[in-house]
């Protein structure tokens, strides 16, 4: 029986760790925010007060952190995981980070006798809560197969995209498209509203027409068109503008590395950057809808 150490109990990680507990995995959790650790302890996880305590019995590490620097310092920092864990552990990083950073992390862990896959996710906080996330994995086939049981407890669709780093490339292509779709859907809805249309009626029409897309189906950016989505809750929770900006930055560097042509991605990056800089960084990314409103 594997012992999992789970790090990063934020908007996504808290629900993911809960689903591991529900599936019967022995899961020890750690976050810098103590109340999040307590939340998981209430759900049946083993709480821990330090990285060393969290990995003392672990053979599997799962991390769900904001960005590269957090993953690197958690794994390799002075008080980090590699200084405290037994040999041949399986590291599964579900954070969205730079593909080149994932490759470097994978190499360093391999040199230390560990295994690593990058396994970023798609599906948002609702997917994390429902255990229906899509996992996009980069890594050796055998390591992918070793991880599948854990990923299945947190997700519905598990893809093996290629070698270490490939999961991050596929994820960032997806999120660049998501940013473009969210901005485009907001643009179309507001143009309809400007011309006197009801956004709910507009959404129903576009859902049955060629403009149909994920944001209209599951994450409408216009308040009160859909229940239980961030736009109907003051754009609280969900996927922060700051994180979307991080992902668009990753998309731009991925594009620059191979001279990919991404004019719509660049435009989306500029729009979300202006929106974030205007004080909206902590709001859900569907708040880009507000950028289109006018008198
Ligand atoms: P979040 O900011 O809500 O959570 C991150 C958590 O990591 C926080 O609780 C923080 O305290 C914790 N943390 C930071 N450093 C730590 C450390 N050294 N040790 C332990 N805990 C630490 O972020 P989130 O929305 O859960 O996103 C996490 C990752 O998932 C990001 O890379 C994001 O891009 C990606 N992602 C998010 C969504 C979404 O809808 N929110 C969807 C897909 C992917």
């Amino acid at each position: 029986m594997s012992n999992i150490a789970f790090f990063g109990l934020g908007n996504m990680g808290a629900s993911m760790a809960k689903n591991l507990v529900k599936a019967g995995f022995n899961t020890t959790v750690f976050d810098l925010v103590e109340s999040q650790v307590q939340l998981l302890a209430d759900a049946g996880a083993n709480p821990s007060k330090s990285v060393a305590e969290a990995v003392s019995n672990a053979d599997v590490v799962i991390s769900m952190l904001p960005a590269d620097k957090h993953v690197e310092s958690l794994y390799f920092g002075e008080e980090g995981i590699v200084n405290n864990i037994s040999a041949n552990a399986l590291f599964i990083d579900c954070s969205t980070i730079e593909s080149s950073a994932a490759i470097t992390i994978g190499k360093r862990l391999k040199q230390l006798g560990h295994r690593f896959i990058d396994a970023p996710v798609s599906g948002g906080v609702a997917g994390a809560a429902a255990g229906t996330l899509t996992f996009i994995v980069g890594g050796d086939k055998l390591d992918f197969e070793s991880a599948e049981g854990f990923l299945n407890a947190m997700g519905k669709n598990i893809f093996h995209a290629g070698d270490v780093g490939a999961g991050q490339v596929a994820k960032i292509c997806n999120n660049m498209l998501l940013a473009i779709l969210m901005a485009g859907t907001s643009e179309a809805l507001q143009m309809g509203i400007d011309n006197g249309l009801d956004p709910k009626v507009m959404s129903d029409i576009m859902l049955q027409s060629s403009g149909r897309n994920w944001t209209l189906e599951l994450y409408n950016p216009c308040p009160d068109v859909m229940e239980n989505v961030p736009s109907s809750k003051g754009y609280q929770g969900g996927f922060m503008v700051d994180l979307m900006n991080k992902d668009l930055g990753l998309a731009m560097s991925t594009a620059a590395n191979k001279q990919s042509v991404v004019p719509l991605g660049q435009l989306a990056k500029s729009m979300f950057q202006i929106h974030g800089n205007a004080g909206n960084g902590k709001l859900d990314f569907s708040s880009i809808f507000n950028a289109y409103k006018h008198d």
Side-chain angles (χ1 to χ4, degrees):
M1 175 75 179
S2 293
N3 293 319
I4 301 172
F6 195 108
F7 297 89
L9 306 168
N11 285 329
M12 298 290 289
S15 297
M16 291 163 68
K18 272 186 200 166
N19 284 329
L20 287 168
V21 172
K22 251 193 237 164
F25 289 109
N26 186 27
T27 309
T28 304
V29 296
F30 179 73
D31 193 289
L32 301 176
V33 180
E34 255 177 60
S35 56
Q36 289 302 100
V37 176
Q38 189 52 49
L39 188 84
L40 262 291
D42 295 344
N46 314 312
S48 65
K49 287 196 182 323
S50 66
V51 172
E53 188 188 343
V55 297
S56 59
N57 283 320
D59 50 3
V60 176
V61 169
I62 302 180
S63 47
M64 190 52 167
L65 304 179
D68 308 13
K69 61 178 184 191
H70 306 95
V71 180
E72 283 159 358
S73 85
L74 172 70
Y75 286 11
F76 304 113
E78 214 170 296
E79 318 240 305
I81 296 176
V82 297
N83 293 328
N84 292 287
I85 197 165
S86 314
N88 197 29
L90 175 65
F91 285 67
I92 303 172
D93 181 38
C94 301
S95 327
T96 306
I97 65 171
E98 185 97 48
S99 161
S100 57
I103 292 170
T104 306
I105 288 169
K107 280 188 185 147
R108 286 180 76 180
L109 286 172
K110 197 170 183 183
Q111 279 165 2
L112 293 167
H114 300 298
R115 297 164 289 147
F116 175 76
I117 61 169
D118 51 308
V121 306
S122 180
V125 289
T132 57
L133 290 171
T134 296
F135 282 89
I136 311 163
V137 178
D140 287 351
K141 192 161 186 296
L142 280 180
D143 297 339
F144 169 73
E145 284 166 4
S146 308
E148 265 184 307
F150 312 114
L151 303 184
N152 273 319
M154 302 181 282
K156 198 169 70 172
N157 297 300
I158 321 292
F159 291 103
H160 187 200
D163 294 337
V164 170
Q168 297 295 350
V169 173
K171 161 74 188 173
I172 225 57
C173 292
N174 178 75
N175 270 30
M176 184 177 78
L177 177 59
L178 173 62
I180 294 167
L181 289 174
M182 187 57 90
T185 299
S186 299
E187 196 164 303
L189 282 172
Q190 186 60 47
M191 189 163 81
I193 293 167
D194 291 344
N195 284 280
L197 269 71
D198 179 336
K200 170 89 177 77
V201 174
M202 275 283 296
S203 298
D204 288 344
I205 292 168
M206 293 196 293
L207 264 173
Q208 300 307 325
S209 306
S210 42
R212 179 182 193 131
N213 69 76
W214 184 88
T215 71
L216 279 172
E217 280 176 56
L218 296 171
Y219 216 100
N220 198 298
C222 179
D224 302 324
V225 169
M226 206 174 250
E227 282 179 4
N228 289 325
V229 290
S231 60
S232 297
K233 296 188 272 189
Y235 297 107
Q236 298 302 311
F239 181 47
M240 286 188 295
V241 171
D242 283 347
L243 285 177
M244 179 51 98
N245 272 319
K246 178 201 72 171
D247 287 4
L248 287 167
L250 295 177
M252 294 306 105
S253 60
T254 303
N257 285 342
K258 300 288 179 197
Q259 296 177 344
S260 306
V261 180
V262 290
L264 294 179
Q266 278 167 334
L267 189 53
K269 166 84 182 117
S270 296
M271 288 198 61
F272 277 95
Q273 195 67 63
I274 292 167
H275 187 56
N277 289 352
N280 302 305
K282 304 292 174 231
L283 296 183
D284 178 72
F285 81 117
S286 62
S287 63
I288 194 72
F289 180 77
N290 287 336
Y292 292 94
K293 279 198 194 153
H294 62 93
D295 294 331

